[in-house]
Amino acid sequence: MKKQNSGEKNKFSLWLLAWPIFIELFLQILLGTVDTLMVSRISDNAVAVVGFSNQLFNALTTLFATVASGAGIVIAQKIGSKKEEEARTVAIIAFKVTAAIGVFLSVLLIAVPGPIATMLQLPKELLPLAKTYISIVGGGMILTALISMLGTAIRNTGNTKGPMYTAVGMNVIHIMMNYCFIFGAFGFPAWGLTGVAISTVISRLIATVVLLLIFVGTFNRRIVMKDMAIFDRGLFKEILVIGWPLGVNSASWVFSQLAIFSFLAVLGSTELAARTYMNTLESFCFMLGFSLAMAAQIQIAHLYGAGETKQAYRAVYRVLMVGLPLVIVNAFILVVFGPYLLGVFTKDSEILTLCTSLLWLNLLLQPGKMVNMAIGNSLNAVGDTKFTMVISLIFMWLIATGCSYWFGVSMGWGIIAIYACMITDEYVRGVLSLFRWRGRKFLRMKEADVNGQEERALERVASPAM
C-alpha cells in the first residue's frame, strides 16, 4: 500500500482539518444569529420570510451540490493516491459546470419569485416581502454556487483555513451592511428587508472574488484562463458517479425540510417563526460535531485514496467518541439558557412557549443528527453514496415528511408532532448507516484493488528474470 509522508499526514490530520472548519461554522452561526436578531427588529414576519427563503435556496443549491460535493471527494481521493494533476482537472471541470447551473438558478429566481413562494404555500401576508427578498438574494445564486464549489475544492486539498478566513470576512461585511441598511446608520437609507437582501449579495460577491484568487493557486500548477477549455469525460464521470447520489441525498433532505416548512406555513406564521428561531439556536448544538464530520470526510477520502483502509475505518469512531458528548452537552445547555436567548429575539409569548417545548425535543434530536453526520460523511468519502441516497429517499419521505404531515397537519398535533417525526427519522437512518459502515464493503473492495496492483507490480519486476 502507498504510505503518506509525515507532511501529508499532518496536513490531513483530523484536528488540523477540523478546527478551521469549526471556527468558520461558529462565526457563521454567531453572525447568522446576529443577522436574525437584526431582522427581528424589522418584524417577526421578516424573520419568517428569511427562514422560508433560506429553505428554498438550500433546496435549489442541491442542483450544483451534486457536482461540488462529488468533485470535493474525488479531489481528496486523487491527492491521496498521488494524482495531483487529475485533482486539478477535476476542480476546473467542477468550476465550469457549477457556474453554468448557478446562472440558470439566478435567472429563474429573478423571473418568477412570486409564483414560487405561492406554490410553496407561503402565507399571503408574507408574499410582498418574499417576492423582494427572493428576487434579490436568489438573483445572486451564481455567487452561492461558486462559493460552494470553490470552498469545497480548496478544503479537500487540505487547506481549510482559506475558506474559513473568507467566510468570516463575508459575514462580518454582511452584518455591518445590515446595520447600515436596517437602521439607516451613517447616512445609509433604511431599506429594511430589502437592505438585508442587498447586503447579502454584496458580501457574497466579495467572498467569491477572494475564493477565486485562492483557488487559482491551490494546486502545484497554477490555474490560468486557458485551462477553462479543459474537459475530461472520464474524470467528469467519476465526479458524477460519486456526486449524483450525493445530490439526490442532499436534495432529499433539503426538499424534505422545505416540505416541512410548508406544513408549518399551513399551521401559521407563529409556527413558521418558531421553527426559524429554533434553527438558529439548534445550530450551536452540533457545529463542532459537524466540523469533525466534515473533517473526517476529507481525511477518510484521502486515506481511502492512499489505500490506508484500516485507518479510514477507525477514523469515524474517533469522531463519534468526541462528537456525541459535545452535542449532548450543548443541547442540554440550550435547554437551560435557550428561553432567555429566545427572549432577545422576540417578545411574542406564543412563539416563546412553542420554542421552550422544542428545546427539550432538541435534546433528543441532536445525537441522532451527529451519528448521521459522522457515518454518512464517512460512507460518502469512500464512494458508498448510493446507500445514503437510498435510505434518505425512503425514510426522510416516509417518516420525516409523510408522518409530519399526517400527525402534524392532518391529525392536528402541530409542530411538536413534526419534531417527533424528524427525531425518529434521524435515529432510523443513523442506525442503518452504522451497520453499513461496520460491513466495510467499499473498504474491502479497495483493499482487494490495492493488493491486486501490488501483485501485478511484483510480477512485472520478476518477469525479466524469468
Side-chain angles (χ1 to χ4, degrees):
M1 291 184 181
K2 297 176 182 178
K3 297 293 182 182
Q4 303 175 75
N5 60 47
S6 59
E8 282 182 315
K9 285 185 177 180
N10 289 333
K11 184 180 180 181
F12 285 90
S13 71
L14 190 65
W15 168 244
L16 288 180
L17 290 170
W19 78 259
I21 297 175
F22 167 69
I23 297 297
E24 177 182 345
L25 287 174
F26 175 76
L27 291 176
Q28 277 188 332
I29 292 168
L30 181 63
L31 292 172
T33 303
V34 175
D35 187 27
T36 303
L37 181 61
M38 286 182 169
V39 174
S40 71
R41 293 298 177 263
I42 301 172
S43 68
D44 285 330
N45 280 351
V47 172
V49 166
V50 172
F52 180 89
S53 300
N54 286 341
Q55 289 297 317
L56 169 64
F57 299 147
N58 288 340
L60 293 175
T61 59
T62 59
L63 295 175
F64 53 77
T66 298
V67 178
S69 301
I73 291 172
V74 174
I75 287 168
Q77 290 180 353
K78 294 295 183 184
I79 291 175
S81 57
K82 313 294 185 186
K83 298 176 181 177
E84 164 89 16
E85 193 63 24
E86 288 189 11
R88 179 179 180 275
T89 301
V90 166
I92 293 168
I93 294 171
F95 175 83
K96 293 189 295 183
V97 175
T98 302
I101 296 171
V103 169
F104 168 76
L105 292 178
S106 290
V107 172
L108 177 68
L109 291 172
I110 290 172
V112 288
I116 291 174
T118 302
M119 180 181 65
L120 295 173
Q121 304 297 313
L122 189 70
K124 289 184 179 180
E125 67 269 21
L126 302 182
L127 279 176
L129 282 175
K131 288 180 182 178
T132 301
Y133 190 80
I134 290 173
S135 63
I136 296 174
V137 178
M141 283 297 285
I142 173 61
L143 304 175
T144 306
L146 291 179
I147 288 171
S148 172
M149 181 272 140
L150 294 171
T152 300
I154 293 165
R155 280 191 206 95
N156 279 274
T157 64
N159 176 12
T160 52
K161 293 181 182 178
M164 174 193 74
Y165 292 130
T166 305
V168 171
M170 176 181 71
N171 282 281
V172 169
I173 291 170
H174 177 48
I175 293 300
M176 291 173 62
M177 294 184 68
N178 272 5
Y179 179 76
C180 294
F181 285 135
I182 291 174
F183 302 107
F186 308 113
F188 283 85
W191 282 342
L193 193 60
T194 300
V196 172
I198 292 171
S199 77
T200 299
V201 173
I202 293 174
S203 61
R204 287 177 181 173
L205 175 61
I206 295 171
T208 302
V209 172
V210 173
L211 285 173
L212 190 57
L213 292 174
I214 298 172
F215 175 72
V216 297
T218 201
F219 297 96
N220 291 335
R221 194 160 65 88
R222 188 177 179 84
I223 295 173
V224 295
M225 185 60 68
K226 66 179 182 180
D227 289 325
M228 291 297 110
I230 293 174
F231 192 87
D232 186 304
R233 289 186 179 181
L235 290 176
F236 186 54
K237 183 178 179 180
E238 285 189 47
I239 295 172
L240 292 182
V241 166
I242 290 179
W244 80 261
L246 279 177
V248 173
N249 184 16
S250 179
S252 178
W253 183 85
V254 174
F255 279 101
S256 172
Q257 292 299 305
L258 187 60
I260 290 171
F261 257 75
S262 71
F263 301 159
L264 294 171
V266 171
L267 294 176
S269 57
T270 297
E271 286 79 3
L272 195 59
R275 177 57 181 154
T276 302
Y277 288 127
M278 281 300 299
N279 269 349
T280 301
L281 293 185
E282 286 173 16
S283 300
F284 287 99
C285 291
F286 65 89
M287 60 186 169
L288 184 51
F290 185 57
S291 304
L292 289 167
M294 288 179 67
Q297 178 174 299
I298 297 170
Q299 183 189 52
I300 290 171
H302 186 263
L303 290 169
Y304 178 81
E308 298 187 13
T309 55
K310 291 182 180 178
Q311 288 127 307
Y313 177 74
R314 291 193 294 265
V316 69
Y317 296 111
R318 292 196 298 270
V319 173
L320 288 174
M321 287 176 62
V322 176
L324 278 172
L326 282 171
V327 298
I328 292 170
V329 170
N330 286 343
F332 184 75
I333 291 172
L334 202 57
V335 168
V336 176
F337 295 103
Y340 303 102
L341 294 173
L342 288 165
V344 177
F345 292 98
T346 182
K347 302 301 180 184
D348 189 301
S349 59
E350 193 173 353
I351 293 176
L352 290 172
T353 301
L354 271 180
C355 288
T356 301
S357 300
L358 297 178
L359 288 172
W360 284 100
L361 290 177
N362 182 59
L363 188 58
L364 296 174
L365 175 66
Q366 294 307 322
K369 290 178 74 71
M370 179 66 233
V371 171
N372 274 336
M373 286 188 294
I375 302 180
N377 282 10
S378 300
L379 288 169
N380 293 336
V382 300
D384 196 3
T385 54
K386 289 184 181 179
F387 176 81
T388 54
M389 176 192 71
V390 170
I391 63 172
S392 294
L393 288 173
I394 295 173
F395 295 103
M396 276 184 195
W397 290 97
L398 180 65
I399 300 175
T401 310
C403 291
S404 285
Y405 181 80
W406 177 256
F407 293 110
V409 180
S410 294
M411 300 290 289
W413 293 352
I415 193 171
I416 302 298
I418 290 174
Y419 252 70
C421 295
M422 291 165 58
I423 292 168
T424 304
D425 165 62
E426 294 286 355
Y427 280 97
V428 169
R429 288 187 292 115
V431 170
L432 291 173
S433 295
L434 178 59
F435 279 114
R436 180 70 169 188
W437 183 253
R438 289 173 65 85
R440 301 177 57 146
K441 178 181 177 180
F442 276 65
L443 293 175
R444 288 197 171 97
M445 289 167 58
K446 183 67 175 181
E447 288 169 3
D449 181 53
V450 171
N451 290 335
Q453 289 179 16
E454 290 178 349
E455 288 175 5
R456 289 191 293 272
L458 289 173
E459 287 174 0
R460 285 195 297 269
V461 171
S463 61
M466 294 176 64

Tab-separated table of all heavy atoms in Angstrom, residues 330-367:
chain	number	residue	atom	x	y	z
A	330	ASN	N	-24.090	20.368	24.652
A	330	ASN	CA	-24.538	21.629	24.073
A	330	ASN	C	-26.063	21.729	24.036
A	330	ASN	O	-26.634	22.789	24.302
A	330	ASN	CB	-23.986	21.784	22.656
A	330	ASN	CG	-22.504	22.104	22.644
A	330	ASN	OD1	-21.935	22.514	23.653
A	330	ASN	ND2	-21.857	21.894	21.513
A	331	ALA	N	-26.727	20.602	23.712
A	331	ALA	CA	-28.191	20.609	23.672
A	331	ALA	C	-28.775	20.830	25.065
A	331	ALA	O	-29.796	21.519	25.222
A	331	ALA	CB	-28.706	19.297	23.083
A	332	PHE	N	-28.131	20.253	26.080
A	332	PHE	CA	-28.617	20.440	27.450
A	332	PHE	C	-28.422	21.890	27.910
A	332	PHE	O	-29.293	22.472	28.575
A	332	PHE	CB	-27.898	19.494	28.404
A	332	PHE	CG	-28.410	19.567	29.818
A	332	PHE	CD1	-29.630	19.000	30.162
A	332	PHE	CD2	-27.689	20.227	30.813
A	332	PHE	CE1	-30.117	19.077	31.463
A	332	PHE	CE2	-28.163	20.321	32.108
A	332	PHE	CZ	-29.386	19.730	32.436
A	333	ILE	N	-27.288	22.466	27.557
A	333	ILE	CA	-27.049	23.877	27.885
A	333	ILE	C	-28.120	24.750	27.244
A	333	ILE	O	-28.602	25.724	27.844
A	333	ILE	CB	-25.635	24.309	27.417
A	333	ILE	CG1	-24.570	23.612	28.271
A	333	ILE	CG2	-25.471	25.827	27.492
A	333	ILE	CD1	-23.157	23.834	27.769
A	334	LEU	N	-28.514	24.366	26.034
A	334	LEU	CA	-29.532	25.143	25.321
A	334	LEU	C	-30.890	25.029	26.007
A	334	LEU	O	-31.664	25.995	26.021
A	334	LEU	CB	-29.629	24.656	23.876
A	334	LEU	CG	-30.225	25.640	22.856
A	334	LEU	CD1	-29.436	26.933	22.840
A	334	LEU	CD2	-30.229	25.002	21.474
A	335	VAL	N	-31.179	23.866	26.580
A	335	VAL	CA	-32.425	23.701	27.336
A	335	VAL	C	-32.467	24.680	28.508
A	335	VAL	O	-33.502	25.297	28.801
A	335	VAL	CB	-32.566	22.251	27.858
A	335	VAL	CG1	-33.686	22.153	28.889
A	335	VAL	CG2	-32.846	21.300	26.700
A	336	VAL	N	-31.314	24.857	29.166
A	336	VAL	CA	-31.241	25.713	30.353
A	336	VAL	C	-31.300	27.196	29.990
A	336	VAL	O	-32.064	27.970	30.577
A	336	VAL	CB	-29.952	25.418	31.153
A	336	VAL	CG1	-29.827	26.382	32.343
A	336	VAL	CG2	-29.945	23.961	31.632
A	337	PHE	N	-30.504	27.574	28.982
A	337	PHE	CA	-30.375	29.004	28.676
A	337	PHE	C	-31.181	29.452	27.452
A	337	PHE	O	-31.299	30.657	27.196
A	337	PHE	CB	-28.896	29.356	28.453
A	337	PHE	CG	-28.052	29.188	29.679
A	337	PHE	CD1	-27.218	28.079	29.812
A	337	PHE	CD2	-28.100	30.113	30.708
A	337	PHE	CE1	-26.441	27.910	30.945
A	337	PHE	CE2	-27.328	29.955	31.846
A	337	PHE	CZ	-26.494	28.845	31.980
A	338	GLY	N	-31.709	28.480	26.682
A	338	GLY	CA	-32.441	28.813	25.463
A	338	GLY	C	-33.592	29.777	25.656
A	338	GLY	O	-33.741	30.729	24.878
A	339	PRO	N	-34.442	29.576	26.684
A	339	PRO	CA	-35.569	30.505	26.867
A	339	PRO	C	-35.136	31.958	27.039
A	339	PRO	O	-35.820	32.874	26.571
A	339	PRO	CB	-36.238	29.974	28.138
A	339	PRO	CG	-35.914	28.518	28.152
A	339	PRO	CD	-34.517	28.434	27.605
A	340	TYR	N	-34.000	32.169	27.701
A	340	TYR	CA	-33.503	33.538	27.886
A	340	TYR	C	-32.986	34.106	26.557
A	340	TYR	O	-33.196	35.288	26.246
A	340	TYR	CB	-32.383	33.557	28.924
A	340	TYR	CG	-32.807	32.996	30.265
A	340	TYR	CD1	-32.450	31.699	30.640
A	340	TYR	CD2	-33.579	33.748	31.150
A	340	TYR	CE1	-32.849	31.169	31.866
A	340	TYR	CE2	-33.984	33.232	32.371
A	340	TYR	CZ	-33.617	31.943	32.716
A	340	TYR	OH	-34.015	31.429	33.920
A	341	LEU	N	-32.315	33.248	25.773
A	341	LEU	CA	-31.809	33.699	24.474
A	341	LEU	C	-32.956	34.032	23.524
A	341	LEU	O	-32.896	35.012	22.775
A	341	LEU	CB	-30.922	32.612	23.855
A	341	LEU	CG	-29.617	32.306	24.593
A	341	LEU	CD1	-28.928	31.090	23.977
A	341	LEU	CD2	-28.682	33.517	24.549
A	342	LEU	N	-33.998	33.216	23.562
A	342	LEU	CA	-35.151	33.463	22.695
A	342	LEU	C	-35.823	34.792	23.005
A	342	LEU	O	-36.353	35.462	22.107
A	342	LEU	CB	-36.164	32.325	22.841
A	342	LEU	CG	-35.767	30.988	22.212
A	342	LEU	CD1	-36.656	29.867	22.728
A	342	LEU	CD2	-35.847	31.076	20.689
A	343	GLY	N	-35.782	35.179	24.277
A	343	GLY	CA	-36.376	36.448	24.675
A	343	GLY	C	-35.687	37.650	24.063
A	343	GLY	O	-36.273	38.736	23.974
A	344	VAL	N	-34.439	37.439	23.602
A	344	VAL	CA	-33.721	38.526	22.923
A	344	VAL	C	-34.268	38.723	21.512
A	344	VAL	O	-34.296	39.838	20.993
A	344	VAL	CB	-32.209	38.212	22.877
A	344	VAL	CG1	-31.454	39.288	22.103
A	344	VAL	CG2	-31.651	38.070	24.284
A	345	PHE	N	-34.735	37.610	20.897
A	345	PHE	CA	-35.193	37.664	19.511
A	345	PHE	C	-36.634	38.143	19.380
A	345	PHE	O	-36.974	38.858	18.446
A	345	PHE	CB	-35.068	36.277	18.865
A	345	PHE	CG	-33.653	35.820	18.676
A	345	PHE	CD1	-33.055	34.959	19.583
A	345	PHE	CD2	-32.909	36.254	17.593
A	345	PHE	CE1	-31.749	34.531	19.411
A	345	PHE	CE2	-31.601	35.834	17.412
A	345	PHE	CZ	-31.028	34.967	18.327
A	346	THR	N	-37.493	37.679	20.271
A	346	THR	CA	-38.910	38.001	20.134
A	346	THR	C	-39.571	38.095	21.510
A	346	THR	O	-39.138	37.427	22.456
A	346	THR	CB	-39.646	36.946	19.279
A	346	THR	OG1	-41.019	37.312	19.136
A	346	THR	CG2	-39.548	35.565	19.898
A	347	LYS	N	-40.625	38.912	21.602
A	347	LYS	CA	-41.396	39.038	22.841
A	347	LYS	C	-42.761	38.362	22.712
A	347	LYS	O	-43.543	38.382	23.658
A	347	LYS	CB	-41.591	40.530	23.180
A	347	LYS	CG	-40.291	41.313	23.334
A	347	LYS	CD	-39.396	40.736	24.428
A	347	LYS	CE	-38.110	41.553	24.558
A	347	LYS	NZ	-37.192	40.955	25.557
A	348	ASP	N	-42.991	37.741	21.571
A	348	ASP	CA	-44.269	37.064	21.343
A	348	ASP	C	-44.371	35.849	22.270
A	348	ASP	O	-43.614	34.888	22.149
A	348	ASP	CB	-44.364	36.636	19.878
A	348	ASP	CG	-45.747	36.115	19.516
A	348	ASP	OD1	-46.195	35.131	20.139
A	348	ASP	OD2	-46.376	36.675	18.598
A	349	SER	N	-45.336	35.859	23.198
A	349	SER	CA	-45.448	34.806	24.201
A	349	SER	C	-45.778	33.444	23.593
A	349	SER	O	-45.317	32.402	24.075
A	349	SER	CB	-46.513	35.174	25.250
A	349	SER	OG	-47.774	35.356	24.627
A	350	GLU	N	-46.551	33.441	22.519
A	350	GLU	CA	-46.926	32.176	21.882
A	350	GLU	C	-45.710	31.512	21.226
A	350	GLU	O	-45.506	30.300	21.335
A	350	GLU	CB	-48.031	32.419	20.846
A	350	GLU	CG	-48.702	31.140	20.371
A	350	GLU	CD	-49.904	31.411	19.479
A	350	GLU	OE1	-50.280	32.601	19.344
A	350	GLU	OE2	-50.443	30.452	18.918
A	351	ILE	N	-44.893	32.319	20.555
A	351	ILE	CA	-43.668	31.804	19.934
A	351	ILE	C	-42.722	31.288	21.010
A	351	ILE	O	-42.124	30.208	20.872
A	351	ILE	CB	-42.987	32.900	19.080
A	351	ILE	CG1	-43.848	33.250	17.865
A	351	ILE	CG2	-41.604	32.430	18.614
A	351	ILE	CD1	-43.312	34.389	17.025
A	352	LEU	N	-42.566	32.025	22.101
A	352	LEU	CA	-41.668	31.627	23.183
A	352	LEU	C	-42.107	30.319	23.829
A	352	LEU	O	-41.276	29.454	24.151
A	352	LEU	CB	-41.587	32.741	24.233
A	352	LEU	CG	-40.861	34.015	23.798
A	352	LEU	CD1	-41.022	35.107	24.857
A	352	LEU	CD2	-39.382	33.736	23.556
A	353	THR	N	-43.393	30.152	24.011
A	353	THR	CA	-43.910	28.910	24.612
A	353	THR	C	-43.626	27.713	23.715
A	353	THR	O	-43.198	26.646	24.192
A	353	THR	CB	-45.421	29.030	24.860
A	353	THR	OG1	-45.672	30.123	25.735
A	353	THR	CG2	-45.964	27.756	25.491
A	354	LEU	N	-43.860	27.876	22.426
A	354	LEU	CA	-43.580	26.801	21.482
A	354	LEU	C	-42.097	26.427	21.489
A	354	LEU	O	-41.737	25.245	21.555
A	354	LEU	CB	-43.980	27.238	20.068
A	354	LEU	CG	-45.403	26.966	19.594
A	354	LEU	CD1	-45.583	27.479	18.171
A	354	LEU	CD2	-45.710	25.477	19.655
A	355	CYS	N	-41.236	27.423	21.419
A	355	CYS	CA	-39.796	27.177	21.352
A	355	CYS	C	-39.276	26.504	22.618
A	355	CYS	O	-38.369	25.663	22.557
A	355	CYS	CB	-39.048	28.487	21.104
A	355	CYS	SG	-39.247	29.138	19.435
A	356	THR	N	-39.809	26.853	23.760
A	356	THR	CA	-39.372	26.234	25.016
A	356	THR	C	-39.637	24.733	24.997
A	356	THR	O	-38.808	23.930	25.439
A	356	THR	CB	-40.086	26.882	26.212
A	356	THR	OG1	-39.789	28.286	26.227
A	356	THR	CG2	-39.618	26.257	27.517
A	357	SER	N	-40.772	24.314	24.477
A	357	SER	CA	-41.080	22.885	24.349
A	357	SER	C	-40.140	22.210	23.347
A	357	SER	O	-39.682	21.079	23.562
A	357	SER	CB	-42.530	22.697	23.893
A	357	SER	OG	-43.433	23.256	24.820
A	358	LEU	N	-39.842	22.902	22.256
A	358	LEU	CA	-38.991	22.329	21.221
A	358	LEU	C	-37.550	22.154	21.693
A	358	LEU	O	-36.829	21.277	21.191
A	358	LEU	CB	-39.023	23.214	19.967
A	358	LEU	CG	-40.382	23.350	19.276
A	358	LEU	CD1	-40.278	24.284	18.075
A	358	LEU	CD2	-40.913	21.988	18.842
A	359	LEU	N	-37.114	22.963	22.652
A	359	LEU	CA	-35.751	22.832	23.177
A	359	LEU	C	-35.528	21.468	23.823
A	359	LEU	O	-34.446	20.888	23.723
A	359	LEU	CB	-35.466	23.946	24.184
A	359	LEU	CG	-35.278	25.356	23.600
A	359	LEU	CD1	-35.212	26.379	24.713
A	359	LEU	CD2	-34.010	25.412	22.756
A	360	TRP	N	-36.550	20.936	24.495
A	360	TRP	CA	-36.435	19.607	25.103
A	360	TRP	C	-36.378	18.525	24.030
A	360	TRP	O	-35.614	17.547	24.155
A	360	TRP	CB	-37.609	19.358	26.050
A	360	TRP	CG	-37.466	20.098	27.342
A	360	TRP	CD1	-38.059	21.275	27.698
A	360	TRP	CD2	-36.654	19.716	28.450
A	360	TRP	NE1	-37.678	21.658	28.958
A	360	TRP	CE2	-36.813	20.705	29.451
A	360	TRP	CE3	-35.808	18.628	28.706
A	360	TRP	CZ2	-36.151	20.646	30.677
A	360	TRP	CZ3	-35.152	18.564	29.928
A	360	TRP	CH2	-35.327	19.570	30.892
A	361	LEU	N	-37.160	18.677	22.991
A	361	LEU	CA	-37.104	17.708	21.888
A	361	LEU	C	-35.753	17.771	21.172
A	361	LEU	O	-35.256	16.749	20.671
A	361	LEU	CB	-38.243	17.982	20.900
A	361	LEU	CG	-39.650	17.663	21.407
A	361	LEU	CD1	-40.687	18.057	20.361
A	361	LEU	CD2	-39.776	16.187	21.755
A	362	ASN	N	-35.164	18.947	21.127
A	362	ASN	CA	-33.855	19.102	20.505
A	362	ASN	C	-32.794	18.275	21.222
A	362	ASN	O	-31.822	17.811	20.617
A	362	ASN	CB	-33.465	20.587	20.503
A	362	ASN	CG	-32.134	20.838	19.824
A	362	ASN	OD1	-31.950	20.524	18.655
A	362	ASN	ND2	-31.191	21.402	20.568
A	363	LEU	N	-32.974	18.070	22.529
A	363	LEU	CA	-32.044	17.251	23.304
A	363	LEU	C	-32.040	15.804	22.795
A	363	LEU	O	-31.026	15.114	22.878
A	363	LEU	CB	-32.441	17.294	24.786
A	363	LEU	CG	-31.489	16.666	25.804
A	363	LEU	CD1	-30.109	17.291	25.739
A	363	LEU	CD2	-32.065	16.823	27.207
A	364	LEU	N	-33.160	15.352	22.261
A	364	LEU	CA	-33.239	14.018	21.664
A	364	LEU	C	-32.776	14.014	20.203
A	364	LEU	O	-32.235	13.020	19.715
A	364	LEU	CB	-34.680	13.508	21.726
A	364	LEU	CG	-35.287	13.282	23.115
A	364	LEU	CD1	-36.764	12.909	22.979
A	364	LEU	CD2	-34.532	12.184	23.854
A	365	LEU	N	-32.997	15.133	19.520
A	365	LEU	CA	-32.702	15.218	18.090
A	365	LEU	C	-31.208	15.203	17.783
A	365	LEU	O	-30.754	14.505	16.868
A	365	LEU	CB	-33.342	16.491	17.520
A	365	LEU	CG	-33.051	16.835	16.052
A	365	LEU	CD1	-33.665	15.799	15.124
A	365	LEU	CD2	-33.583	18.233	15.728
A	366	GLN	N	-30.419	15.948	18.557
A	366	GLN	CA	-29.031	16.189	18.184
A	366	GLN	C	-28.127	14.954	18.152
A	366	GLN	O	-27.288	14.836	17.247
A	366	GLN	CB	-28.431	17.274	19.087
A	366	GLN	CG	-29.047	18.645	18.908
A	366	GLN	CD	-29.033	19.107	17.463
A	366	GLN	OE1	-28.077	18.859	16.730
A	366	GLN	NE2	-30.108	19.769	17.040
A	367	PRO	N	-28.229	13.998	19.108
A	367	PRO	CA	-27.374	12.801	18.988
A	367	PRO	C	-27.626	12.018	17.706
A	367	PRO	O	-26.682	11.513	17.087
A	367	PRO	CB	-27.754	11.989	20.241
A	367	PRO	CG	-28.255	12.995	21.217
A	367	PRO	CD	-28.956	14.026	20.389
